[in-house]
Amino acid sequence: MRAMVLSAPRTALRMEERPDPLPGPGEIRVKVSACGVCRTDLHVVDAELPDIRYPIIPGHEIVGRVDLIGHGVTTHVTGDRVGIPWLGYTCGSCRFCRDGMENLCDRPLFTGYTRDGGYATHAVADARYAFPLGEAGDDASIAPLLCAGLIGWRSLVLAGQAERLGIYGFGAAGHIVAQIAVWQGRSVYAFTRSGDDAAQDFARRLGAVWAGASGELPDTPLDAAIIYAPAGELVPTALRAVRKGGRVVCAGIHMSDIPSFPYDLLWQERQLISVANLTRQDGIDFLGIAPQAGVRTETTVFPLHEANDVLTGLKRGHILGAAVLQP
């Protein structure tokens, strides 16, 4: 197999050839056809997440076909098209798993972070955490749904029944969630980097009723806001934009420090919550909703060996929609 490997913190990925991996009991091996590039991959490469064990193969928005099955697997057969998400394993026995909150498992494994991911020609996954995808849709368009879509969906659910919804950071997750929110009959307000006219125009094309810079206030208070950009300074900004009793959802796995802000911004029963990972039920729910909502991902496809350039482009805000690597 070939893989783009991260060997040390804050270094470039290197293309390596390795022996083909073998699935263990309960696992499957997947021949990767597409792997989305997620902002969380940047956090892995930049060592902004704890306890990274090197070397590691990033990538957790994987679409591929099962080509080898480990002992005891009965849920998949060779040739099945599957999607492998960020959450790659949970223990099933801690209090969170027992209480239906496997996204908060005490002993999880995460694809592309604590187990090898999809910036490769092959990947091994726990069969329980590989979603059947069927045959509708092309691989590159589906790949961003496996994290940007799933985390986007979970954050949208946690935003509640907001009629006026703000989206801070209109990238991979934002452009997917906006489509679902519009389909649900909500009014979407898109916030981008200052001067990013392309992203603002993109948001309007997807049905946003308003689009502007993240430092601006919309023309009416929001019922809720979701922050996808990893910028802590957006938290008080979003709180300032929501109405009394409104909610701000922080949807990233990593965010820069949140600056101090006056209590008045939180008062009047405004809520500030975070989203952590996903559950398998999130995946089942979202992958059923996405085709009903007519979600279409805006993707740009790159060859696997250009992964470093793609990550740089994502960091600089040069990717419209989502980037996808293909081996």
Side-chain angles (χ1 to χ4, degrees):
M1 64 174 278
R2 292 179 297 110
M4 293 294 287
V5 180
L6 178 66
S7 299
R10 294 175 291 277
T11 59
L13 306 180
R14 297 185 308 179
M15 180 69 78
E16 294 185 4
E17 289 195 9
R18 295 182 169 187
D20 290 342
L22 297 175
E27 295 181 331
I28 56 175
R29 188 178 72 191
V30 172
K31 185 176 182 181
V32 178
S33 54
C35 185
V37 179
C38 178
R39 183 165 290 277
T40 303
D41 300 335
L42 276 176
H43 299 320
V44 172
V45 171
D46 290 341
E48 293 173 327
L49 302 183
D51 304 321
I52 300 174
R53 296 182 180 178
Y54 304 95
I56 187 72
I57 302 171
H60 57 273
E61 296 179 335
I62 305 169
V63 176
R65 293 192 181 271
V66 178
D67 76 344
L68 196 60
I69 295 176
H71 177 73
V73 174
T74 60
T75 52
H76 303 285
V77 298
T78 302
D80 280 355
R81 187 168 69 155
V82 297
I84 302 171
W86 169 249
L87 186 64
Y89 166 87
T90 57
C91 71
S93 59
C94 70
R95 61 172 296 185
F96 299 103
C97 286
R98 295 196 309 270
D99 290 345
M101 296 183 287
E102 66 180 10
N103 60 305
L104 301 179
C105 174
D106 284 334
R107 294 177 291 276
L109 291 176
F110 298 109
T111 311
Y113 170 33
T114 57
R115 66 182 300 163
D116 282 335
Y119 286 15
T121 57
H122 294 79
V124 169
D126 187 318
R128 300 172 301 162
Y129 294 83
F131 296 115
L133 294 179
E135 297 300 327
D138 69 272
D139 298 338
S141 296
I142 292 173
L145 302 182
L146 273 301
C147 183
L150 289 176
I151 292 299
W153 170 252
R154 186 172 181 86
S155 61
L156 181 62
V157 171
L158 288 179
Q161 301 301 313
E163 293 183 9
R164 297 183 299 277
L165 177 71
I167 296 177
Y168 285 80
F170 206 81
H175 93 285
I176 293 171
V177 167
Q179 294 177 67
I180 297 176
V182 169
W183 174 73
Q184 292 175 332
R186 307 175 193 241
S187 296
V188 171
Y189 294 73
F191 298 83
T192 74
R193 299 185 190 201
S194 179
D196 194 346
D197 296 336
Q200 292 170 21
D201 290 342
F202 182 37
R204 295 187 191 98
R205 292 200 305 272
L206 292 179
V209 300
W210 182 94
S214 58
E216 297 180 47
L217 285 175
D219 52 9
T220 185
L222 305 173
D223 298 313
I226 306 173
I227 302 176
Y228 293 113
E233 64 269 21
L234 292 178
V235 170
T237 299
L239 284 169
R240 191 173 287 110
V242 299
R243 61 166 172 78
K244 295 181 287 185
R247 182 178 296 178
V248 173
V249 181
C250 300
I253 191 172
H254 173 82
M255 180 180 277
S256 61
D257 289 349
I258 300 170
S260 63
F261 56 86
Y263 177 64
D264 283 353
L265 292 183
L266 188 62
W267 190 57
Q268 295 179 316
E269 300 194 352
R270 293 176 178 86
Q271 301 174 44
L272 178 63
I273 60 175
S274 68
V275 172
N277 312 315
L278 65 135
T279 67
R280 284 171 286 182
Q281 190 61 49
D282 292 328
I284 294 168
D285 293 344
F286 172 69
L287 293 173
I289 286 288
Q292 296 179 44
V295 170
R296 297 290 182 268
T297 55
E298 179 83 9
T299 57
T300 306
V301 176
F302 300 87
L304 179 61
H305 69 265
E306 293 184 10
N308 289 307
D309 293 336
V310 176
L311 288 167
T312 298
L314 179 61
K315 180 181 290 189
R316 294 176 177 173
H318 296 166
I319 303 294
L320 190 64
V324 178
L325 299 175
Q326 288 190 318

